[in-house]
Amino acid sequence: MAGKNKVANRVAMAVVAGLAAVAVVTELRKPPEEREWHGKIGGFVPYDLRRPTFAKMRDRVWDTENPNLIVPHAFGIGWTINFGRIYKLANPAD
């Protein structure tokens, strides 16, 4: 079992590294004035390579007004959980 976990972890890391490389190459192919450093890979996987701020991170992981449970990462590639939405669903009176 432990061997399978190592292989799965390596595959997952390789996929993330590949997606990061695609995101960087996508931005570097644009003229400098058009580079935004955020978008979607293949129109599906979100990426945001801009410097994270406390406010942006807070808004992604604790936004009680956002109806989505899964939201794009504040920095990096992929998604994160909106714990604020989970709280709101568990405490509708708040």
Side-chain angles (χ1 to χ4, degrees), residues 22-66:
V22 169
V24 169
V25 168
T26 297
E27 292 297 324
L28 291 176
R29 285 186 174 170
K30 298 176 186 177
E33 62 276 2
E34 292 180 19
R35 294 178 187 158
E36 297 179 329
W37 297 102
H38 64 98
K40 291 186 178 181
I41 300 167
F44 180 66
V45 180
Y47 68 92
D48 193 338
L49 303 176
R50 299 171 294 179
R51 183 179 1 166
T53 63
F54 178 77
K56 188 166 82 168
M57 294 183 74
R58 180 195 63 224
D59 290 346
R60 295 289 171 92
V61 298
W62 194 266
D63 185 358
T64 57
E65 300 305 313
N66 186 341

Side-chain angles (χ1 to χ4, degrees), residues 64-80:
T64 57
E65 300 305 313
N66 186 341
N68 298 314
L69 290 172
I70 306 295
V71 294
H73 279 303
F75 179 78
I77 295 156
W79 300 268
T80 193

